Every structure is written in structure tokens, then in C-alpha cells.
Amino acid sequence: ATDILAAVKDLKTPITVMAVGNWLNANPTIGKEILTAGNDLGNHTYSHQAMMHLNYKQALNEIERGKSAIRSAVGSSQKYFRPSGTPKSNSTIRKAALAAGYSNCITYDVDTLDYQDPKPAAIIDNCMKSVTKGSIISLHLGHKNTVIALPKLISELNSHNLTPVTISTLLA
């Protein structure tokens, strides 16, 4: 995670980190580091379960526990939620997110598949083949090839007149 944060700082490109609650609990200073660097922080559940397979009570529990971890890490629950294990949400997820205080349930439309640890060129290709203005790109912390791909990916996006921004900037 610190590699990604250093890379985007060097590239002067803010990001949105949708953090898993148990990861935040295990890394108690990272939440404040994310925000202090000018990035957004959001809730990505507590334990990264496949939310499409959860009932309302289970989904609400995952979201609430993630919210609690974020609040412990940075002093507030933050504004955005992204469901785990799915690029989309459904009515159960959205109802649980709203009940937990998240009116913004964020999904993504560009999957780089970086979590499968492909070569950096594949991460860039997976992004560039479907990215458009307003796209939300899914990238993952903790993957070496994602860090390696970032400078060229951001350069490619910029060469197509696409400027990466945080989710709060995108939705403003």
C-alpha cells in the first residue's frame, strides 16, 4: 500500500482507496496517511466477502463493521462505500449501504484484472481497451505489477486526455 501511495504522490495523481476494514485494523496508520496525502478513503466492507451472495443482514454487518474500522482509523466513517467481490451492486447491497449511512454505493466499469498479477503491460492494456471519460478504474493495493504499471498507465490516460481524479472530484 505504501508503494502505491508513494507512486501516486510522485505522479501527482490522487486516488480513492476503498479499504477493507480488517486491513485497516491491521495497518492502523495507513488510513490517515491516505487522507493526508490528498486521496479519498472509502468503505470496502470488513472482510471482503462476495456481497452478491450475502443476505441483507450479512451485507449490513459487513458494511457496518467496515465503517467502524474506518472510523477507528481516521475519526469518521467517510462518505463512500464500494461492495466487495463484485463490480456491481444489487438492491440488497444498496439497501444495506443506505441503512449504514452510505448514500453513495460506488461501482466500477474498468477492471484491470491486476489482482490476478498479470504483467504491467496487461494491466495497462486491460484498462485502456475500455476506459472512457468518467470511468471508474479498479486497481488493487499490494500488487507489485500494479505499482510498476502506474506511471505508464497514468501517462497513457493523460495522452488520451483522461485525467485520473478521486471519486469525490468525479462526483462533484
Side-chain angles (χ1 to χ4, degrees), residues 25-124:
N25 287 344
N27 299 279
T29 62
I30 197 76
K32 286 185 180 175
E33 290 174 32
I34 291 165
L35 293 176
T36 300
N39 302 299
D40 281 354
L41 179 66
N43 181 348
H44 192 40
T45 73
Y46 183 76
S47 63
H48 205 268
Q49 295 184 38
M51 291 204 66
M52 287 293 212
H53 302 294
L54 302 181
N55 64 36
Y56 174 80
K57 185 177 177 182
Q58 293 166 325
L60 181 59
N61 183 51
E62 273 293 301
I63 299 166
E64 287 284 3
R65 289 178 70 204
K67 179 179 177 177
S68 178
I70 290 174
R71 190 179 300 117
S72 292
V74 300
S76 71
S77 58
Q78 298 300 294
K79 190 174 180 179
Y80 302 106
F81 166 74
R82 184 173 95 68
S84 55
T86 178
K88 305 290 180 205
S89 66
N90 62 22
S91 62
T92 300
I93 294 169
R94 289 188 296 275
K95 286 177 189 173
L98 190 57
Y102 293 101
S103 58
N104 294 292
C105 191
I106 306 300
T107 58
Y108 60 90
D109 62 312
V110 177
D111 192 349
T112 63
L113 304 174
D114 67 325
Y115 60 89
Q116 296 176 356
D117 294 318
K119 294 193 180 302
I123 294 169
I124 295 163

Side-chain angles (χ1 to χ4, degrees), residues 123-165:
I123 294 169
I124 295 163
D125 289 344
N126 289 338
C127 180
M128 297 309 297
K129 70 183 177 190
S130 58
V131 70
T132 62
K133 184 176 179 164
S135 282
I136 297 176
I137 302 166
S138 176
L139 292 165
H140 293 78
L141 301 176
H143 293 268
K144 179 181 176 184
N145 286 342
T146 302
V147 177
I148 294 168
L150 267 177
K152 183 160 189 205
L153 175 57
I154 291 170
S155 176
E156 284 288 313
L157 290 167
N158 289 334
S159 75
H160 286 85
N161 293 318
L162 300 170
T163 304
V165 297

